[in-house]
Amino acid sequence: MTRRQVVIHSASEIAMACRAGQLAAEVLSMLAAHIRPGISTNQLDQLCHDHIVKVQQAVPANIGYHGYPKTICASVNQVVCHGIPTDKPLQDGDIVNVDVALIKDGWFGDTSRMFVVGQPSPLAQRLVRVTYDALCAGIRQVRPGATLGDIGHAIQTVAEAAGFSVVRDYCGHGIGRVYHDEPDVLHYGRPGQGMKLRAGMVFTIEPMINAGKRDTRQLADGWTVVTLDRSLSAQWEHMVAVTDSGFEVLTAWPDGYGDYPTIGR
């Protein structure tokens, strides 16, 4: 299989990618008020679908993608990624990652964030926060001349220092007019190794961090990925552009970062 070359986007193209990214972030911001015990992930899926289609006049990118049936991925507790929404209600103490992707004027926006339901355990809260900190550490490495290995190493260092593990079966990806494009962005690595970053690159950074071991398995539905040891898993995702002087987060939260630190250098 021939690998595609990494696209270098112009300033106007990055602006289009940012517009799509901001719409995706807005969907998750809208959803925050609905996260509570008793609501099902299917209900969350319908809320996101209606907002994308009716409010944003955009297209849900996940529906029909390689046969995927829903608007969002909703990954609860030990689900690492690609959880298919169901009618099962969320319970007090759950943690859930909601991953949303949409298309606006031919450009893809893709982002995810963690939500806590009621009062999670101290371990769950620490995992969610450490995973966010790992994402930030990876993003802060982004600048022209840095490498993909710098990003992965920064993420791995934060996660493993906390006693957690980095999932290696899934990674971030280039994005723009193509949903999943080059390069692959691994969430582990060695400084100075891998592709050098250039201004104009746009990709996602989306570490999946497990409270237990890093191993995963896919369920019989062909989508849902869980931790092999049934430990908790968390994930955050941002779209990032490489700029002349560093990075720009294209999926910044429109409602602010709340208790989480902003992603500055």
Side-chain angles (χ1 to χ4, degrees):
M1 180 178 174
T2 302
R3 295 178 70 88
R4 291 169 52 91
Q5 289 193 335
V6 175
V7 177
I8 303 299
H9 297 89
S10 67
S12 62
E13 289 172 331
I14 290 176
M16 294 295 289
C18 185
R19 183 183 181 213
Q22 280 294 285
L23 289 175
E26 181 189 302
V27 176
L28 295 181
S29 178
M30 172 277 300
L31 203 62
H34 299 277
I35 303 292
R36 61 182 184 275
I39 196 168
S40 72
T41 49
N42 254 341
Q43 289 173 296
L44 299 179
D45 187 81
Q46 190 64 55
L47 286 166
C48 292
H49 179 276
D50 290 349
H51 190 82
I52 292 169
V53 174
K54 297 177 181 178
V55 178
Q56 298 179 333
Q57 283 83 54
V59 177
N62 288 331
I63 297 177
Y65 183 74
H66 294 298
Y68 189 77
K70 297 289 185 174
T71 297
I72 62 173
C73 296
S75 301
V76 182
N77 294 334
Q78 76 277 5
V79 179
V80 175
C81 61
H82 305 159
I84 301 174
T86 70
D87 289 328
K88 182 179 178 180
L90 294 174
Q91 298 182 5
D92 184 76
D94 284 345
I95 59 172
V96 55
N97 174 272
V98 178
D99 192 335
V100 63
L102 55 80
I103 309 166
K104 184 68 172 182
D105 297 329
W107 290 85
F108 285 84
D110 181 16
T111 187
S112 81
R113 62 193 280 188
M114 293 298 299
F115 296 97
V116 298
V117 184
Q119 186 62 42
S121 69
L123 172 63
Q125 294 181 65
R126 191 166 72 90
L127 176 65
V128 168
R129 180 54 183 265
V130 167
T131 305
Y132 177 81
D133 290 342
L135 168 70
C136 294
I139 291 174
R140 291 184 190 119
Q141 296 299 311
V142 175
R143 63 180 68 84
T147 69
L148 290 175
D150 295 336
I151 297 172
H153 178 74
I155 292 167
Q156 183 179 4
T157 298
V158 172
E160 293 181 353
F164 300 142
S165 61
V166 179
V167 171
R168 300 195 177 198
D169 302 323
Y170 304 91
C171 62
H173 53 87
I175 190 169
R177 289 191 180 96
V178 175
Y179 190 176
H180 292 92
D181 208 351
E182 300 295 335
D184 289 340
V185 182
L186 304 183
H187 302 120
Y188 59 94
R190 295 182 180 177
Q193 293 195 346
M195 179 184 293
K196 282 194 173 183
L197 305 184
R198 295 171 54 193
M201 291 181 175
V202 177
F203 47 79
T204 70
I205 302 177
E206 47 184 296
M208 289 144 273
I209 307 299
N210 295 346
K213 295 182 179 179
R214 71 188 189 204
D215 308 281
T216 68
R217 70 181 181 93
Q218 188 180 75
L219 300 187
D221 62 21
W223 286 102
T224 306
V225 177
V226 300
T227 54
L228 189 60
D229 61 8
R230 308 297 286 179
S231 64
L232 293 172
S233 187
Q235 179 188 23
W236 299 84
E237 175 184 12
H238 271 310
M239 285 172 58
V240 180
V242 185
T243 67
D244 290 335
S245 59
F247 65 84
E248 179 184 0
V249 177
L250 305 184
T251 45
W253 303 345
D255 53 342
Y257 284 80
D259 293 333
Y260 295 94
T262 57
I263 311 173
R265 288 208 179 278

